[in-house]
């Protein structure tokens, strides 16, 4: 591939590294949310709203993406609107539906928190060849799709049978 030499790694070692990354990411997301005066669900929803780009999502679409009820999404949008992050706009095709649009000032506040980290990630990518970056991008995309599919399976199972109960402590 033309990149620099890499230490050998097994799939199990890669999965362990991914687990550590996910755990650290969850902690970091909570810290970012707190810094922005949001809770983690609100920050997650802001990520979806910003990711929608020029075609804003409806509140219902946002509820599906965030895996919350339509009632809960109303509370999320209320909090984001009160905090100055979003505005509600009537859907031009169906005035009964509401689209959730990020305020530019909110996008700037969020970018200000994430940009230093993304700059550091950009520096990490400079250690990889274009072919290696392509493999990483493909792996992340495929894994994201796999994760979405598995989440859908979990939701279907939850609808038909209760979640697994936690183990009872030993007497």
């Amino acid at each position: 591939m033309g990149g620099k030499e890499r230490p050998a790694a097994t799939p199990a070692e890669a999965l362990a590294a991914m687990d550590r990354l996910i755990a650290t990411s969850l902690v970091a997301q909570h810290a970012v949310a707190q810094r922005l005066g949001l809770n983690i669900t609100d920050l997650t929803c802001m990520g979806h709203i910003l990711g929608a780009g020029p075609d804003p999502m409806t509140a219902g679409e946002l509820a599906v993406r965030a895996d919350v009820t339509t009632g809960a999404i109303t509370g999320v949008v209320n909090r984001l609107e009160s905090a100055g992050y979003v505005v509600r706009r009537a859907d031009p095709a169906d005035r009964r539906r509401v689209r959730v649009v990020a305020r530019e000032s909110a996008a700037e506040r969020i970018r200000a928190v994430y940009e230093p980290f993304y700059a550091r990630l950009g520096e990490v990518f400079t250690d990889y060849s274009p072919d290696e970056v392509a493999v990483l991008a493909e792996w992340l995309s495929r894994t994201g799709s796999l994760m979405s599919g598995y989440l859908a399976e979990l939701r279907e199972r939850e609808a038909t049978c209760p979640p697994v109960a936690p183990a009872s402590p030993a007497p």
Side-chain angles (χ1 to χ4, degrees), residues 68-166:
V68 298
T69 65
T70 53
I73 208 66
T74 299
V76 169
V77 175
N78 286 346
R79 287 190 301 275
L80 290 173
E81 191 172 42
S82 292
Y85 282 95
V86 301
V87 294
R88 289 176 166 98
R89 296 235 168 90
D91 185 316
D94 181 351
R95 299 253 207 220
R96 294 170 294 177
R97 288 193 315 185
V98 172
R99 297 226 175 238
V100 184
V101 180
R103 291 179 178 267
E104 184 55 37
S105 61
E108 289 169 10
R109 289 188 335 211
I110 292 170
R111 274 194 298 272
V113 175
Y114 280 102
E115 278 181 351
F117 176 63
Y118 275 55
R120 291 173 188 169
L121 284 175
E123 291 172 20
V124 170
F125 279 120
T126 65
D127 285 345
Y128 294 87
S129 72
D131 286 343
E132 289 173 319
V133 172
V135 168
L136 289 169
E138 186 221 5
W139 190 89
L140 290 166
S141 180
R142 287 179 61 195
T143 304
S145 293
L146 185 135
M147 187 179 293
S148 293
Y150 187 67
L151 179 57
E153 285 177 33
L154 287 176
R155 289 176 185 149
E156 284 178 30
R157 280 189 225 149
E158 190 174 289
T160 59
C161 63
V164 176

Side-chain angles (χ1 to χ4, degrees), residues 11-33:
E13 290 168 329
L15 287 172
M18 183 182 73
D19 285 344
R20 288 188 301 274
L21 173 64
I22 290 170
T24 303
S25 293
L26 290 170
V27 172
Q29 287 297 85
H30 280 280
V32 168

Side-chain angles (χ1 to χ4, degrees), residues 39-53:
N39 66 45
I40 194 69
T41 301
D42 296 355
L43 179 62
T44 300
C45 288
M46 273 307 300
H48 290 304
I49 293 164
L50 292 170

